């Protein structure tokens, strides 16, 4: 059996008999000829149909044997003539929208309800190729920098971030929870590997229906030991972002890619509040503040990325390292990208006694954390890390209004299928 | 501040003043001199302590500035003299076992209870470097072959594999389940990307306490469209295994690596039963059978890998493609490696009507699967795939008796922490 040739490779087979396979993208009837446009993962192929033929419904999967013939008007300058068509699926049911139009004209709920078919639209599919390239870039930078990939439990005995938005699981008759982050595991593994990364699902029982929250999202996590402070973590994040952008560029995606500056500009939280004209003492930034700060970074630094550093301790989780030089502030950061908070990170506490103090100050019972706290009792270096929300990154990069548009099968308050 | 130098790189800095960082591995007192052995992710460094010094407990994290001095007896031929030692952690609590001995002498439960510290033992840590290399090899082969990495939901509305061993989740007051596999999602995504892979957690509420089952494990999944039958899937799996082995070799791990034959030997299930002297009609292989077949493959084919193909339809899940040439048998396979079933795969059904028939035959209500079944109604190519259990692979490769020894933080019937 001759090997299947992808649509994108047909020009290299001009004059030869080949076999292609793909989906019926559409039938194009012109005055004197009818074309069958076949879609595969590489692009579109044009097949010249004989005058007598059975009409095949769109999305039917076919195999076509034919002769690759030069045709200046065809995509790639070739078309398939003398076709012999075999249907590999059944004749397909009609999709609830036209997949062959330049954009998919359907509401977001309709698209999500029909995700297995809607995602076939080349523009929708391309989003996830960008996401895949981003993840490959993330790993490639960290692997080269001596990070070890880890796989941590998603079933835990206690909530790591806050008790509010956690999913409960029936674990052999006992209560368990879905991990809201790999935070404590990745920290403990700094004690083993010094530098670790993990790409995996995290779970938040978000009771709010917003355009930027999901009940499950993909977290790109990194953590590294022997840092001076959070600036060492920010430097790694900078390189990771540059690698993600480079990987997207390398795969030739049609995206307006940002330039990642050699050093991403940074502003301290207190200075950011002053810049925004807020009263000192406000503990957090509102989404509108983030947009305004991003605008400021673009205007004054020519950067689409901005670090906001030193968030008040009051708003950060118990494992946050304080800034000894500025009481009340932390050695943490958020990264804003095009107006949106995309990454959270910072230096963590690394001394066991500091953890006990911090847990007590937050009113958290240390008992469920005993196993992880052991890592700190037995010697941990100063360390820090960050977590990038993959769907937020992809959505922001591609200018998508809703993070669900960058998720294959989103899960939220209302949606548990498909 | 001078950049930190890793222990393994010290020989390249002979004669220079450097800064290292790591854990106190042990203090070695000889007659005339005392050494501090410092461990970091690259290996061990020997520091010559002054006669007067404070003893530092093992696992304390230190930074040492000193002069790299040639010393033929020292590891790597150099040691650090004139040291200036700074404690970065607190003085560490004593671990419940000696991390500096060649092997960790503690029971498996003790090791697992103290995982954050036990995994620091170089031999234990090395297992997970092998796992990380394996995963990198898996992705590298598939990325080059045009596969797209995907991230699928772990929260689902219905069990995909069987209703028995599924974890229930309280999903905003509604019942949901943890995905037992990405099976139906990866199949649906063949309709979008043709070829997909995913490395992620899967969940099985295994009520049995065995050496080869976990409540959460890491599944290396691949699925591809436009296959002729399961042999095309097996060919991809063969290349993936070769890439995994090559990646481990590349990172220089000290492992007895198997040779992956250009074509892995295969035996049909019915022939395997005959070979074992079983009555025809037995529907499955017992663990002892798998060991015997593996021995046979090694003896007669010189291969540590063996495909058993064509498992009876009765024992395979509803999405399994039957073998039209052999009624009752399927186009599926298991891969045995050194006596253990490591991979399950095969060709899947791809026609919508076949799914409705199969679900009915298995007595499964199709309603919860409606969203996924849409993919098949709208045209799917013949496709298949496989799933490799990462922990099983690592354990078998390293000769570990229990899959928990190849898991950072195992989850099972009795264990939910650390």
């Amino acid at each position: 059996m001759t090997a299947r040739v992808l649509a994108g490779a047909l020009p290299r087979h001009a004059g030869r008999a080949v076999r292609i396979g793909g989906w019926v993208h559409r039938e194009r009837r012109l005055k004197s000829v009818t074309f069958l446009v076949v879609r595969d993962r590489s692009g579109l192929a044009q097949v010249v149909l004989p005058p007598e033929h059975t009409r095949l419904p769109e999305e039917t999967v076919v195999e076509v044997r034919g002769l690759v013939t030069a045709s200046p008007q065809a995509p790639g300058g070739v078309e398939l003539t003398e076709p012999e068509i075999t249907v590999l699926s059944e004749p397909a049911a009609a999709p609830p929208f036209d997949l062959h139009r330049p954009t998919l004209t359907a509401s977001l709920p309709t698209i999500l309800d029909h995700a297995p078919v809607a995602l076939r639209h080349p523009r929708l599919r391309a989003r996830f190729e960008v996401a895949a390239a981003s993840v490959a870039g993330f790993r490639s930078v960290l692997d080269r920098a001596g990070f070890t990939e880890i796989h941590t439990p998603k079933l835990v005995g206690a909530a790591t971030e806050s008790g509010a938005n956690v999913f409960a699981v029936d674990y052999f008759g006992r209560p368990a929870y879905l991990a809201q982050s790999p935070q404590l595991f990745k920290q403990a593994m700094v004690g083993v590997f010094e530098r670790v990364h993990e790409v995996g699902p995290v779970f938040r029982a978000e009771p709010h229906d917003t355009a930027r929250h999901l009940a499950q999202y993909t977290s790109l996590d990194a953590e590294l030991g022997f840092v001076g402070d959070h600036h060492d973590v920010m430097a790694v994040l900078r390189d990771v972002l540059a690698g993600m952008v480079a990987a997207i560029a390398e795969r030739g995606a049609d995206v307006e890619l940002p330039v990642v500056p050699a050093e991403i500009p940074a502003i301290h939280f207190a200075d950011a509040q002053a810049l925004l004209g807020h009263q000192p003492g406000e503990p957090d930034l509102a989404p509108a503040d983030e947009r305004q700060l991003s605008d400021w970074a673009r205007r004054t630094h020519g950067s689409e990325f901005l670090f906001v550093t030193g968030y008040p301790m009051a708003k950060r989780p118990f494992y946050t390292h304080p800034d000894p030089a500025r009481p009340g502030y932390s050695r943490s950061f958020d990264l804003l990208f095009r107006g949106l908070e995309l990454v959270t990170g910072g230096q963590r506490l690394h001394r066991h006694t500091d953890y006990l103090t911090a847990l007590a100050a937050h009113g958290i019972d240390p008992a469920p954390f005993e196993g992880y706290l052991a890592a700190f009792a037995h010697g941990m270096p100063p360390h820090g890390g960050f977590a990038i929300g993959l769907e937020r990154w992809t959505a922001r990069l591609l200018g998508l209004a809703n993070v669900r548009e960058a998720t294959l099968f989103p899960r939220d308050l209302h949606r548990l299928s498909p």
Side-chain angles (χ1 to χ4, degrees), chain A:
Chain A
M1 188 168 74
T2 51
R4 172 181 173 226
V5 172
L6 290 177
L10 283 179
R12 295 205 302 274
H13 290 76
R16 272 181 271 170
V18 299
R19 177 170 67 93
I20 66 167
W23 287 259
V24 172
H25 196 55
R26 63 180 302 198
E27 198 177 290
R28 282 182 65 210
R29 289 168 198 235
L30 305 185
K31 218 175 252 169
S32 57
V33 65
T34 302
F35 295 119
L36 189 72
V37 181
V38 174
R39 185 187 74 239
D40 68 19
R41 71 178 192 270
S42 73
L44 302 175
Q46 180 167 299
V47 177
V48 181
L49 290 176
E52 298 293 306
H53 66 268
T54 315
R55 193 184 162 86
L56 288 170
E58 283 158 16
E59 294 309 302
T60 301
V61 179
V62 293
E63 182 178 89
V64 185
R65 287 159 196 274
L67 191 67
V68 183
T69 307
S71 166
Q73 288 86 353
V78 292
E79 61 191 12
L80 235 55
T81 57
E82 303 169 37
E84 186 187 319
I85 299 173
T86 313
V87 172
L88 296 182
S89 61
E90 305 151 302
F97 26 61
D98 285 336
L99 286 171
H100 58 78
R101 303 213 180 273
T103 53
L104 200 55
T105 49
S107 71
L108 184 55
T110 302
I111 288 175
L112 298 180
D113 285 345
H114 300 276
V117 188
L119 295 170
R120 296 181 187 180
H121 189 283
R123 285 183 64 164
L124 271 65
R125 188 185 66 194
R127 296 172 185 169
F128 300 93
E129 303 282 7
V130 166
S134 303
V135 173
F138 170 87
R139 288 199 199 97
S140 147
V141 168
L142 293 175
D143 280 347
R144 275 199 307 272
F147 284 68
T148 300
E149 180 173 3
I150 58 171
H151 306 281
T152 65
K154 307 308 163 199
L155 289 161
V156 294
T160 51
E161 298 292 326
S162 88
N165 58 356
V166 69
F167 286 111
V169 181
D170 173 3
Y171 192 78
F172 301 112
R174 282 184 288 162
Y177 305 96
L178 291 181
Q180 296 159 298
S181 79
Q183 184 62 31
L184 298 176
F185 296 111
K186 68 177 182 169
Q187 288 185 249
M189 288 305 94
V190 165
V192 175
F193 304 101
E194 290 186 23
R195 319 185 126 203
V196 294
H197 66 85
E198 177 169 23
V199 174
V202 298
F203 305 92
R204 307 281 170 106
E206 285 294 343
H208 306 295
D209 204 359
T210 80
R212 57 181 195 167
H213 289 101
L214 295 165
Q216 176 191 323
Y217 68 88
T218 303
S219 184
L220 312 189
D221 271 277
E223 197 80 12
L224 63 150
F226 298 97
V227 301
D229 61 20
H230 52 308
H231 290 94
D232 289 341
V233 180
M234 289 153 63
V236 171
L237 174 54
R238 184 268 153 205
D239 290 347
V240 162
L241 291 167
M244 291 167 71
V245 168
I248 299 167
E250 206 172 283
R251 297 198 186 180
D254 181 23
V255 188
E256 206 187 312
L257 290 171
V259 173
V260 183
E263 187 163 352
I264 293 174
I267 184 170
H268 191 278
F269 183 87
D271 300 331
Q273 291 291 29
L275 191 77
L276 293 164
H278 293 338
Q279 295 299 320
E282 286 209 20
D284 210 351
L285 295 175
D289 296 336
E290 295 176 349
R291 286 193 291 275
Q292 216 177 317
L293 288 170
S294 259
D295 283 346
W296 171 81
R298 188 164 31 226
R299 283 197 318 272
T300 60
H301 295 283
S303 170
E304 302 204 86
F305 297 94
L306 175 68
F307 279 123
V308 180
T309 63
Y311 279 74
M313 286 296 285
K315 290 300 279 186
R316 301 300 262 205
F318 70 85
Y319 49 77
T320 305
H321 198 294
D323 183 351
R326 296 185 75 153
Y329 292 103
S330 69
R331 283 186 173 171
S332 71
F333 61 83
D334 275 7
L335 179 78
L336 308 185
F337 171 54
R338 295 183 181 167
L340 187 74
E341 178 236 305
L342 184 71
V343 188
T344 294
Q347 186 181 349
R348 331 296 190 181
L349 297 175
H350 62 280
R351 294 191 177 91
H352 189 246
T353 47
D354 290 342
Y355 272 93
L356 298 183
T357 308
L359 285 167
H362 280 76
I364 301 173
D365 176 12
F369 298 106
E370 207 176 307
Y372 318 108
L373 292 180
F376 302 100
H378 295 296
M380 280 286 282
H383 64 282
F386 57 84
I388 308 173
L390 176 62
E391 295 81 358
R392 280 196 186 187
W393 159 256
T394 310
R396 210 57 184 175
L397 189 65
L398 302 180
L400 306 173
N402 194 312
V403 75
R404 288 165 185 75
E405 296 175 75
T407 312
L408 291 175
F409 298 98
R411 293 292 182 256
D412 62 31
L413 186 55
H414 304 294
R415 186 172 289 278
L416 185 58
S417 72

